[in-house]
Amino acid sequence: MKFKRQKMDDVQINLTPLIDVVFLLLIFFMVSTTFNQSTELTIDLPTATTDAPKTQVTRVEMVITADGQYVINGQTLINEKVSTLVQGLKEVFEGDYQRPLIITADAKSSYDMVLKVYDAAAQIGITKLAHTAKRDVSP
């Protein structure tokens, strides 16, 4: 038996149906799309004046050294208990707990020491906290 291969016609791509589909889609989007004219939002921006009184907010700085000492505004605390931290912060803040507390910890200090400061600040209601870490912090 001899099987002959039949000669295949060249493959052709007819683009006419594709053009028709694209044209129909274009007509559909043109008919179904609506355009609205939107208005701009009016925003009242604040203005700055130079006549405003300048109030300087004094901040409280807490330094945590690598060897486990707490220093509040230059005063070293005796021990690292949370109750001592609360008492020291109360004395420095003098009832004005809206002032910011800047906590600067040595990179080698333990996380537990920083968490004790957060606990003490939460107990007396300090809401503005910032935390930084530095190498070789000295009081």
Side-chain angles (χ1 to χ4, degrees):
M1 257 189 195
K2 283 189 175 181
F3 292 105
K4 271 187 167 179
R5 273 185 110 174
Q6 293 181 356
K7 187 175 182 181
M8 294 181 69
D9 295 333
D10 292 333
V11 177
Q12 295 179 355
I13 298 175
N14 191 359
L15 294 178
T16 306
L18 181 65
I19 293 172
D20 290 342
V21 169
V22 170
F23 183 68
L24 287 173
L25 286 173
L26 181 66
I27 290 174
F28 172 75
F29 286 123
M30 286 177 58
V31 170
S32 64
T33 304
T34 59
F35 296 99
N36 293 332
Q37 184 177 9
S38 61
T39 58
E40 296 179 2
L41 296 174
T42 56
I43 299 173
D44 296 329
L45 296 175
T47 57
T49 61
T50 58
D51 299 336
K54 296 180 181 180
T55 58
Q56 185 174 0
V57 177
T58 58
R59 61 185 185 189
V60 177
E61 294 186 13
M62 165 82 70
V63 177
I64 304 171
T65 61
D67 58 347
Q69 290 183 342
Y70 291 103
V71 180
I72 303 176
N73 284 354
Q75 296 177 336
T76 305
L77 297 179
I78 297 170
N79 60 25
E80 67 276 352
K81 292 182 182 178
V82 177
S83 59
T84 307
L85 289 172
V86 169
Q87 187 61 33
L89 289 173
K90 281 183 180 180
E91 290 174 5
V92 172
F93 273 93
E94 299 172 349
D96 183 17
Y97 300 120
Q98 296 301 316
R99 295 167 36 195
L101 173 63
I102 311 297
I103 303 167
T104 304
D106 192 291
K108 296 178 183 176
S109 62
S110 68
Y111 295 117
D112 186 46
M113 296 178 68
V114 178
L115 292 177
K116 286 180 183 178
V117 175
Y118 283 138
D119 289 341
Q123 285 182 14
I124 60 176
I126 298 172
T127 57
K128 296 179 181 178
L129 294 168
H131 181 87
T132 61
K134 292 184 180 178
R135 292 181 194 223
D136 300 326
V137 173
S138 60

